[in-house]
Amino acid sequence: MTVYFDGVGFEAEQLCVNQFRGKLLTSKEYQYKDIDCFVKSKQGVQYTASVKDQRSSTKQGYNTIQLELEQVNTRNNKTCHGCFVKNKSDYYFWLVVHNNKEQWCIVKSSVLKEYVKKNKDNLPTWQTKPNTEAKNRKYGRTYDRSKGVLITIEKLLELGEMKELAHNEV
């Protein structure tokens, strides 16, 4: 089976590694835990990070981030945990367009998971559209539907911090 990717996430991962003195991780062990790279703090402490690229949607004016809680195989109704639930990273790094600038929204994973746990029933929900599900089936993906909750960028900022993307750092 061939897996298809759009490449956008890989670009964001490389930008994150460059800016935050990190290292890309490619082993399946890390990928199954939704861990994309190591990053280093200014004090030299190494952390794991899950990197997401939301520039396209936030540039269009959307001010929310999708958290995938569940995946569904619509052919047999089997389900599994989504990447937010499977995530074992120390931090989330979302690359967004905020105030007309490309910026990183950085949130400690444990803080975000606790917030979602406490507020899940009050958060808006989302689900993939039928055309996306059809593409996923065409690509041979077992789980063709994703479901989850939406979090505003403003709420992420309350839970974490924002850092401007440094395009030229290596």
Side-chain angles (χ1 to χ4, degrees):
M1 172 176 56
T2 304
V3 179
Y4 296 87
F5 295 101
D6 61 10
V8 174
F10 297 126
E11 178 188 359
E13 290 170 12
Q14 189 61 59
L15 290 168
C16 183
V17 164
N18 290 348
Q19 184 165 349
F20 298 99
R21 302 162 298 283
K23 176 185 174 191
L24 286 175
L25 300 171
T26 56
S27 78
K28 288 192 188 317
E29 175 190 353
Y30 285 114
Q31 292 299 316
Y32 287 136
K33 296 175 184 177
D34 195 30
I35 296 172
D36 299 307
C37 61
F38 288 124
V39 294
K40 282 187 183 173
S41 69
K42 289 181 180 175
Q43 295 76 28
V45 179
Q46 185 168 268
Y47 296 100
T48 56
S50 178
V51 180
K52 309 294 182 196
D53 192 330
Q54 296 285 153
R55 288 178 293 181
S56 179
S57 62
T58 54
K59 191 175 189 177
Q60 294 175 43
Y62 293 98
N63 71 337
T64 56
I65 300 296
Q66 296 176 329
L67 301 177
E68 183 187 64
L69 302 180
E70 180 180 49
Q71 293 181 317
V72 180
N73 179 327
T74 61
R75 296 169 300 286
N76 61 20
N77 289 320
K78 287 188 178 179
T79 63
C80 71
H81 292 305
C83 65
F84 181 74
V85 179
K86 294 177 190 174
N87 177 280
K88 302 290 184 213
S89 70
D90 296 315
Y91 285 89
Y92 272 103
F93 282 68
W94 272 281
L95 187 53
V96 300
V97 175
H98 186 68
N99 295 331
N100 296 315
K101 294 181 200 165
E102 291 182 330
Q103 302 191 56
W104 291 106
C105 190
I106 305 167
V107 182
K108 200 170 200 173
S109 297
S110 61
V111 170
L112 184 57
K113 285 180 182 263
E114 185 62 28
Y115 175 80
V116 170
K117 183 179 175 182
K118 286 182 181 175
N119 296 284
K120 183 179 169 192
D121 294 335
N122 299 317
L123 295 171
T125 59
W126 65 274
Q127 169 177 308
T128 49
K129 295 184 178 171
N131 62 332
T132 301
E133 294 167 8
K135 275 191 232 174
N136 287 338
R137 287 189 293 276
K138 179 182 164 193
Y139 292 157
R141 294 181 177 150
T142 303
Y143 296 96
D144 52 325
R145 175 178 293 158
S146 292
K147 297 177 174 184
V149 294
L150 298 170
I151 305 270
T152 64
I153 292 174
E154 288 72 24
K155 177 51 73 179
L156 289 175
L157 292 177
E158 286 177 32
L159 299 172
E161 63 179 311
M162 187 72 82
K163 290 198 185 281
E164 194 167 331
L165 173 64
H167 287 282
N168 299 324
E169 286 192 28
V170 269

